[in-house]
Each structure stands twice: as C-alpha cells, then as structure tokens.
C-alpha cells in the first residue's frame, strides 16, 4: 500500500536549479538516490547509484542512508523497503508501476501455485511484494540462470511472472519449468522485421538484447544479457556500433561511458515511443525534488508481507 501523491500545485517553478537543490537535500536528509538505467537522463545524472534490478537490490541492502529515494518503479521501491524496514523509502511518482508485475495478480497466482504442489517458486524480481511473499527464491535477469542451476534437477519449478525470461532460462539451463504467462509491454514490442531492417542499414553493428524480449528477436542477437551486462559487453567488445534491444534509457549511460561508440535504439513494431517504458518515465527530476522536500510519497508495507517477501530476496542475495 502507498501514501497519496503530491498535489500538482506543489511542483516548483522553472527558476529553481534542481540539480543543486537535490544535492542540498541529499545532505540534509542523509538520503541516497538509487536510479534504474531506464530513468530519464536528468535523474541518472543526480543519482548516487545507477543499476539494474540486482545491483539496486544489493545497494539497497547495504546503504547507511536514512532516506532512500528510489527512482524506478514501485516493485523496486518495495524491494528497498523490504530490505530496509527502518528507513524511509520514497518513490517520486506512485503511478510508476510495471506492466509485467501487473500481469501477475496475487489471487490468481495463489491459485496457480496451489495447482502445482511441491513446486519451488522462483519469481523474477519484477513482481509485487505480495508475489514475492509467495515465492521461495527471487531472481533477476542478471542471476536467473545461475540460480536455477543451483536447484537440484529433481525439484520441479514454477517460474514467474515473465514467460520470455523463463523460456530463455530454460534454454540456457536445460531445465523444464512451469511458466506463468506474464510479459513486459516494452520488450514485447520489438519487431524482428524492423530489427532485420536495422541490421541491413548498419551491417557492422552487433545486436545486444535483454532476455525479456521474445524468442525471434533473441535469435538475432549477438549478445543477450541484463541491462548491466549489455553495458559491460559494449565496453569489452571491439565493435563500434550496437543495436540496443531494450528500454532506450540505458543508451544515456552507454553514450556517457563510451562516447566513441555508436548506439542505435531498436525500434518497436510501429512508430510510437514504445521502446520507452511509460511507467519508468513518469518519474521526473521535479517530482524527485518534491518527494525529498515533502518526504512523500512514501512506500509502506504490512509487516507480515514484508517479512514473508524478505526471505526469498535474502536467499537470492546469498546465492548470487
């Protein structure tokens, strides 16, 4: 459950230097700003730490800040609160949800789990606290293969909520798993046809893709990995051009860290900006600033849910 969001009238005027104001507030509040790679460039530039879901979880688990400002979506901020019950966790916009998490309602998943007794539940971190509380192990796209490989071969597994990541993990590990049929609206919009057209236009470019993409797109990729893994691969590769098949926010970091290389965002199936997550982009620097001033919206979780969700996250951190 969440607190109410800020009234529109409380947003600042454009005369304020928000970068300086946010820096002052970080000192005053003993606050840390954690931002996902898919956030807008301004937020990435004020963040203390930028990462993917695994890195952000690890950072949230070890921070000594009193206030965590989580520039991401609500399941990420929930994870920070699960790991830090004594700290205040702020989310700039409460409407910053997740299309993948929304495909896995708790009641329906509880029934699905009951229909598959004796199955170990491995849930992708892109799910609600309620789903985490029903899970045995949480994983991320960075560590899913590694974690599944540690589970005894005779143990049946439910993998939720992303079917595309689940299929990828099955292919990499040879494990048969029962998949919940959820998906991410951004990663499912990428078109194989348009990807082929881009490859013809940039014949020397390598295709790097997130495993949440559908199988025909992944088959075209030179490298498949988490958001951080895509960035690291671009650093290590001798290639100078990359077609990036994930949410386009990561390209800001790629261009900052590798200014001599050229990154092409993969297009979706139509001409919309569908390679940008509409939920991630709800957060803005203005909203982040206001959240720090007013100390809300704040993430609040029932203690029984938090404790139940904590166990599978701790297991992930121990196994990673």
């Amino acid at each position: 459950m969440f607190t109410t969001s800020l009234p529109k009238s409380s947003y600042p005027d454009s005369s304020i230097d928000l970068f300086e104001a946010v820096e002052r507030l970080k000192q005053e509040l003993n606050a840390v700003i954690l931002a996902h790679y898919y956030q807008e460039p301004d937020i990435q530039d004020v963040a203390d730490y930028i990462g993917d879901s695994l890195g952000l979880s690890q950072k949230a688990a070890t921070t000594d800040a009193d206030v965590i400002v989580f520039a991401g979506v609500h399941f990420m901020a929930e994870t920070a609160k699960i790991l830090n019950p004594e700290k205040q966790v702020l989310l700039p916009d409460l409407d910053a949800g997740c299309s993948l998490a929304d495909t896995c309602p708790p009641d329906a998943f509880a029934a699905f789990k009951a229909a598959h007794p004796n199955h170990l539940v491995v849930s992708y971190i892109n799910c609600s606290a309620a789903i985490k509380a029903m899970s045995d192990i949480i994983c991320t796209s960075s560590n899913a293969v590694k974690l599944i490989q540690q589970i005894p071969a005779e143990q049946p597994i439910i993998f939720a909520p992303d079917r595309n990541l689940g299929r990828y993990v099955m292919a990499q590990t040879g494990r048969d798993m029962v998949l919940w049929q959820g998906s991410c609206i951004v990663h499912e919009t990428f078109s194989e046809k348009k990807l082929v057209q881009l490859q013809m236009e940039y014949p020397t470019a390598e295709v790097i893709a997130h495993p949440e993409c559908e199988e025909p797109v992944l088959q075209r990729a030179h490298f498949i990995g988490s958001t951080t893994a895509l960035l690291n691969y671009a650093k290590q590769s001798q290639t100078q051009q990359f077609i990036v098949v994930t949410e386009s926010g990561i390209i800001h970091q790629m261009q900052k860290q590798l200014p001599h290389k050229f990154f092409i965002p993969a297009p979706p199936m139509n001409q919309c900006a569908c390679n940008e997550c509409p939920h991630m982009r709800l957060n803005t620097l203005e909203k982040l600033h206001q959240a720090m001033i007013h100390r809300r919206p704040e993430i609040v979780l029932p203690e029984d849910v938090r404790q139940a969700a904590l166990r599978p996250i701790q297991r992930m951190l121990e196994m990673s």
Side-chain angles (χ1 to χ4, degrees), residues 116-141:
H116 297 86
N118 303 318
H119 281 60
L120 192 78
V121 179
V122 179
S123 293
Y124 187 27
I125 199 167
N126 296 35
C127 64
S128 68
I131 298 300
K132 289 180 175 70
M134 285 187 265
S135 304
D136 297 294
I137 305 172
I138 298 302
C139 72
T140 72
S141 56

CSV table of all heavy atoms in Angstrom, one decimal, residues 116-141:
chain,number,residue,atom,x,y,z
A,116,HIS,N,-0.1,-26.5,-8.5
A,116,HIS,CA,1.2,-27.1,-8.8
A,116,HIS,C,1.9,-27.4,-7.4
A,116,HIS,O,3.0,-26.8,-7.2
A,116,HIS,CB,2.1,-26.2,-9.7
A,116,HIS,CG,1.5,-26.0,-11.1
A,116,HIS,ND1,0.6,-25.0,-11.3
A,116,HIS,CD2,1.7,-26.7,-12.2
A,116,HIS,CE1,0.2,-25.1,-12.6
A,116,HIS,NE2,0.9,-26.1,-13.2
A,117,PRO,N,1.4,-28.3,-6.6
A,117,PRO,CA,2.0,-28.6,-5.3
A,117,PRO,C,3.4,-29.2,-5.5
A,117,PRO,O,3.7,-29.8,-6.5
A,117,PRO,CB,1.1,-29.6,-4.7
A,117,PRO,CG,0.3,-30.2,-5.9
A,117,PRO,CD,0.2,-29.1,-6.9
A,118,ASN,N,4.2,-28.9,-4.5
A,118,ASN,CA,5.6,-29.4,-4.5
A,118,ASN,C,6.5,-28.7,-5.4
A,118,ASN,O,7.7,-29.2,-5.6
A,118,ASN,CB,5.7,-31.0,-4.7
A,118,ASN,CG,4.8,-31.7,-3.8
A,118,ASN,OD1,4.8,-31.5,-2.6
A,118,ASN,ND2,4.0,-32.7,-4.3
A,119,HIS,N,6.1,-27.7,-6.1
A,119,HIS,CA,6.9,-26.9,-7.0
A,119,HIS,C,7.6,-25.8,-6.2
A,119,HIS,O,7.0,-25.1,-5.3
A,119,HIS,CB,6.1,-26.3,-8.1
A,119,HIS,CG,5.8,-27.2,-9.2
A,119,HIS,ND1,5.1,-28.4,-9.0
A,119,HIS,CD2,6.2,-27.2,-10.5
A,119,HIS,CE1,5.0,-29.0,-10.2
A,119,HIS,NE2,5.6,-28.3,-11.1
A,120,LEU,N,8.9,-25.6,-6.4
A,120,LEU,CA,9.6,-24.4,-5.9
A,120,LEU,C,9.3,-23.2,-6.7
A,120,LEU,O,9.3,-23.3,-8.0
A,120,LEU,CB,11.1,-24.7,-6.0
A,120,LEU,CG,12.0,-23.8,-5.2
A,120,LEU,CD1,12.0,-24.1,-3.7
A,120,LEU,CD2,13.5,-23.9,-5.7
A,121,VAL,N,9.0,-22.1,-6.1
A,121,VAL,CA,8.6,-20.9,-6.8
A,121,VAL,C,9.7,-20.0,-6.9
A,121,VAL,O,10.2,-19.4,-5.9
A,121,VAL,CB,7.4,-20.2,-6.1
A,121,VAL,CG1,7.0,-18.9,-6.9
A,121,VAL,CG2,6.2,-21.1,-6.0
A,122,VAL,N,10.2,-19.8,-8.2
A,122,VAL,CA,11.3,-18.8,-8.4
A,122,VAL,C,10.6,-17.6,-9.2
A,122,VAL,O,10.1,-17.8,-10.3
A,122,VAL,CB,12.4,-19.4,-9.3
A,122,VAL,CG1,13.5,-18.3,-9.6
A,122,VAL,CG2,13.0,-20.6,-8.6
A,123,SER,N,10.6,-16.5,-8.6
A,123,SER,CA,10.0,-15.3,-9.2
A,123,SER,C,11.0,-14.2,-9.5
A,123,SER,O,11.9,-13.9,-8.8
A,123,SER,CB,8.9,-14.7,-8.2
A,123,SER,OG,7.9,-15.6,-8.0
A,124,TYR,N,10.8,-13.7,-10.7
A,124,TYR,CA,11.6,-12.6,-11.2
A,124,TYR,C,11.3,-11.4,-10.3
A,124,TYR,O,10.2,-11.2,-9.9
A,124,TYR,CB,11.2,-12.3,-12.7
A,124,TYR,CG,12.0,-11.3,-13.5
A,124,TYR,CD1,13.3,-11.0,-13.2
A,124,TYR,CD2,11.4,-10.7,-14.5
A,124,TYR,CE1,14.0,-10.1,-13.9
A,124,TYR,CE2,12.0,-9.8,-15.3
A,124,TYR,CZ,13.3,-9.5,-15.0
A,124,TYR,OH,14.0,-8.5,-15.8
A,125,ILE,N,12.3,-10.6,-10.1
A,125,ILE,CA,12.1,-9.5,-9.1
A,125,ILE,C,11.1,-8.5,-9.6
A,125,ILE,O,10.5,-7.7,-8.8
A,125,ILE,CB,13.5,-8.8,-8.9
A,125,ILE,CG1,13.4,-8.0,-7.6
A,125,ILE,CG2,13.9,-8.0,-10.1
A,125,ILE,CD1,14.8,-7.6,-7.1
A,126,ASN,N,10.8,-8.5,-10.9
A,126,ASN,CA,9.7,-7.6,-11.4
A,126,ASN,C,8.3,-8.1,-11.0
A,126,ASN,O,7.5,-8.5,-11.9
A,126,ASN,CB,9.9,-7.5,-12.9
A,126,ASN,CG,11.2,-6.9,-13.4
A,126,ASN,OD1,12.2,-7.1,-12.7
A,126,ASN,ND2,11.1,-6.1,-14.5
A,127,CYS,N,8.0,-8.1,-9.8
A,127,CYS,CA,6.7,-8.6,-9.3
A,127,CYS,C,6.4,-7.8,-8.0
A,127,CYS,O,7.3,-7.3,-7.3
A,127,CYS,CB,6.7,-10.1,-9.1
A,127,CYS,SG,7.8,-10.7,-7.8
A,128,SER,N,5.2,-7.9,-7.5
A,128,SER,CA,4.8,-7.1,-6.3
A,128,SER,C,5.3,-7.8,-5.1
A,128,SER,O,5.7,-9.0,-5.1
A,128,SER,CB,3.3,-7.1,-6.3
A,128,SER,OG,2.7,-8.4,-6.1
A,129,ALA,N,5.3,-7.1,-4.0
A,129,ALA,CA,5.7,-7.7,-2.7
A,129,ALA,C,4.8,-8.9,-2.3
A,129,ALA,O,5.3,-9.8,-1.7
A,129,ALA,CB,5.6,-6.6,-1.6
A,130,ALA,N,3.5,-8.8,-2.7
A,130,ALA,CA,2.6,-10.0,-2.4
A,130,ALA,C,3.1,-11.2,-3.2
A,130,ALA,O,3.0,-12.3,-2.6
A,130,ALA,CB,1.2,-9.6,-2.8
A,131,ILE,N,3.6,-11.1,-4.4
A,131,ILE,CA,4.1,-12.3,-5.1
A,131,ILE,C,5.4,-12.7,-4.5
A,131,ILE,O,5.6,-13.9,-4.4
A,131,ILE,CB,4.2,-11.9,-6.6
A,131,ILE,CG1,2.9,-11.6,-7.3
A,131,ILE,CG2,4.9,-13.1,-7.4
A,131,ILE,CD1,1.8,-12.6,-7.2
A,132,LYS,N,6.2,-11.8,-4.2
A,132,LYS,CA,7.5,-12.2,-3.5
A,132,LYS,C,7.2,-13.0,-2.3
A,132,LYS,O,7.9,-13.9,-1.9
A,132,LYS,CB,8.3,-10.9,-3.2
A,132,LYS,CG,8.9,-10.2,-4.4
A,132,LYS,CD,9.7,-9.0,-4.0
A,132,LYS,CE,10.4,-8.4,-5.2
A,132,LYS,NZ,9.5,-7.7,-6.1
A,133,ALA,N,6.2,-12.6,-1.5
A,133,ALA,CA,5.8,-13.3,-0.3
A,133,ALA,C,5.4,-14.7,-0.5
A,133,ALA,O,5.5,-15.5,0.4
A,133,ALA,CB,4.8,-12.5,0.5
A,134,MET,N,4.9,-15.0,-1.7
A,134,MET,CA,4.5,-16.4,-2.1
A,134,MET,C,5.7,-17.2,-2.7
A,134,MET,O,5.4,-18.3,-3.2
A,134,MET,CB,3.3,-16.3,-3.0
A,134,MET,CG,2.0,-16.0,-2.3
A,134,MET,SD,0.6,-16.1,-3.5
A,134,MET,CE,0.5,-14.5,-4.1
A,135,SER,N,6.8,-16.6,-2.8
A,135,SER,CA,7.9,-17.2,-3.6
A,135,SER,C,9.0,-17.8,-2.6
A,135,SER,O,9.0,-17.5,-1.5
A,135,SER,CB,8.6,-16.1,-4.5
A,135,SER,OG,7.7,-15.5,-5.3
A,136,ASP,N,9.8,-18.7,-3.2
A,136,ASP,CA,10.9,-19.4,-2.5
A,136,ASP,C,12.2,-18.7,-2.8
A,136,ASP,O,13.0,-18.6,-1.9
A,136,ASP,CB,11.0,-20.8,-2.8
A,136,ASP,CG,9.7,-21.6,-2.4
A,136,ASP,OD1,9.5,-21.7,-1.2
A,136,ASP,OD2,9.0,-22.1,-3.4
A,137,ILE,N,12.4,-18.3,-4.0
A,137,ILE,CA,13.6,-17.6,-4.4
A,137,ILE,C,13.2,-16.4,-5.3
A,137,ILE,O,12.4,-16.6,-6.2
A,137,ILE,CB,14.6,-18.5,-5.1
A,137,ILE,CG1,14.9,-19.7,-4.2
A,137,ILE,CG2,15.9,-17.8,-5.5
A,137,ILE,CD1,15.8,-20.8,-5.0
A,138,ILE,N,13.8,-15.3,-5.2
A,138,ILE,CA,13.7,-14.2,-6.2
A,138,ILE,C,14.9,-14.2,-7.1
A,138,ILE,O,16.0,-14.6,-6.6
A,138,ILE,CB,13.6,-12.8,-5.4
A,138,ILE,CG1,12.3,-12.8,-4.6
A,138,ILE,CG2,13.6,-11.7,-6.4
A,138,ILE,CD1,11.0,-13.1,-5.3
A,139,CYS,N,14.8,-13.9,-8.3
A,139,CYS,CA,15.9,-13.8,-9.2
A,139,CYS,C,15.8,-12.5,-10.0
A,139,CYS,O,14.8,-11.8,-10.0
A,139,CYS,CB,15.9,-15.0,-10.2
A,139,CYS,SG,14.6,-15.0,-11.5
A,140,THR,N,16.9,-12.1,-10.7
A,140,THR,CA,16.9,-11.0,-11.7
A,140,THR,C,17.3,-11.6,-13.0
A,140,THR,O,17.8,-12.7,-13.1
A,140,THR,CB,17.8,-9.9,-11.2
A,140,THR,OG1,19.1,-10.3,-11.4
A,140,THR,CG2,17.5,-9.5,-9.8
A,141,SER,N,17.3,-10.7,-14.0
A,141,SER,CA,17.8,-11.2,-15.3
A,141,SER,C,19.3,-11.4,-15.3
A,141,SER,O,19.9,-12.2,-16.1
A,141,SER,CB,17.4,-10.2,-16.4
A,141,SER,OG,17.9,-8.9,-16.1
